[in-house]
Amino acid sequence: MIWNKWIRQSHRWLSIIFTATVAANFIAMAMGQPPAWVVYSPLLPLFLLLFSGLYMFVLPYIAKGRDGQPTSG
């Protein structure tokens, strides 16, 4: 259970970082042509959010299968 708590907390912090990088991107674009590292800076937190979000999405289905209940499909 500690692992799940750590993933959820990281997902929250990654969302804050992602939001800040997107805001910084818009501010930099308003001031002119931004450097490439500013434009691509939201991609790393976005991909990390994708993986942690998919993990949390699949968790209930894994737990349901682990309980021994047959899944109807």
Side-chain angles (χ1 to χ4, degrees), residues 28-40:
M29 285 185 179
M31 295 180 175
Q33 184 65 28
W37 68 270
V38 173
V39 174
Y40 295 118

Side-chain angles (χ1 to χ4, degrees), residues 1-72:
M1 282 309 227
I2 298 293
W3 183 253
N4 293 339
K5 186 176 180 181
W6 186 82
I7 292 284
R8 288 182 189 278
Q9 191 65 33
S10 332
H11 189 80
R12 288 183 193 120
W13 280 105
L14 281 169
S15 68
I16 293 169
I17 294 168
F18 175 71
T19 304
T21 56
V22 169
N25 204 339
F26 277 107
I27 292 168
M29 285 185 179
M31 295 180 175
Q33 184 65 28
W37 68 270
V38 173
V39 174
Y40 295 118
S41 63
L43 290 180
L44 178 63
L46 180 64
F47 284 122
L48 294 173
L49 278 169
L50 172 73
F51 294 127
S52 62
L54 286 174
Y55 172 78
M56 288 190 298
F57 178 77
V58 171
L59 249 159
Y61 299 106
I62 293 172
K64 185 187 293 186
R66 199 179 302 155
D67 287 343
Q69 298 173 351
T71 55
S72 60

